[in-house]
Amino acid sequence: MSALWHASIISASPDSLILRVQAVHPDAGEIPDTRIGTFRLLCDAGEFNGMSGGAAIEYAMAHRAIRSVEVDSRQNFPFDEQRALTQIAEPLWAEGLAPGQAGWQDGMAKGWSKFWKDGDRAPSAILKIRLGDTSTFPQFHPEMEWDSAAYQ
């Protein structure tokens, strides 16, 4: 599955994390700010220490591992796809290109890709996470980064 989020740890202690999450794909949806969504996000940080048994086991593990999740700040939410596409198209129009002309599709594709890499334009948030049992997760440290396909 493709990445939906890019996560980076701002600060880490044995019982808490401050994490920046940025959408890297238009299908990312809402910030993974529930215990289960955050659990999935953190599990993608490293080699997952085993889960089998389906959704009920995952839910129980998430509630054991994550005590609470608080969204400290949001940027560019809710995501307005039409507005983003218009912003990407404006420089192409300024060059005299229009939909259907040679170069239009390539220009839009390059602009769309660039948009999702731009931390100032893509949707993002800061999460404050209180941890419980961390045996499922890798050792977290500041500046650690990873991509995730986490969903709510």
Side-chain angles (χ1 to χ4, degrees):
M1 180 173 205
S2 296
L4 300 173
W5 299 97
H6 180 77
S8 55
I9 295 180
I10 296 169
S11 69
S13 72
D15 63 349
S16 67
L17 296 172
I18 297 180
L19 185 70
R20 182 177 190 277
V21 293
Q22 177 182 319
V24 295
H25 193 281
D27 292 340
E30 286 299 313
I31 299 164
D33 62 352
T34 62
R35 287 163 119 181
I36 191 75
T38 301
F39 178 76
R40 290 174 177 147
L41 183 74
L42 296 178
C43 284
D44 284 345
E47 201 168 303
F48 182 59
N49 292 330
M51 176 189 70
S52 60
I57 299 297
E58 183 182 37
Y59 180 85
M61 289 178 74
H63 282 264
R64 191 178 80 211
I66 309 291
R67 289 199 172 134
S68 66
V69 181
E70 176 187 339
V71 178
D72 188 46
S73 65
R74 294 175 193 259
Q75 181 176 323
N76 302 321
F77 270 101
F79 175 58
D80 184 342
E81 185 171 356
Q82 193 58 50
R83 181 172 176 248
L85 289 169
T86 300
Q87 290 173 347
I88 293 164
E90 285 172 346
L92 301 176
W93 290 325
E95 291 176 23
L97 291 175
Q101 288 183 317
W104 176 265
Q105 213 164 12
D106 186 49
M108 287 298 290
K110 285 178 182 173
W112 193 239
S113 177
K114 187 176 177 181
F115 174 89
W116 290 104
K117 294 175 185 165
D118 185 341
D120 292 329
R121 295 194 302 165
S124 64
I126 303 295
L127 302 179
K128 290 183 176 180
I129 304 163
R130 285 189 47 237
L131 300 170
D133 175 4
T134 60
S135 62
T136 303
F137 305 129
Q139 182 69 39
F140 294 114
H141 55 84
E143 299 180 20
M144 185 175 176
E145 296 186 29
W146 67 95
D147 289 328
S148 174
Y151 58 96
Q152 292 286 25

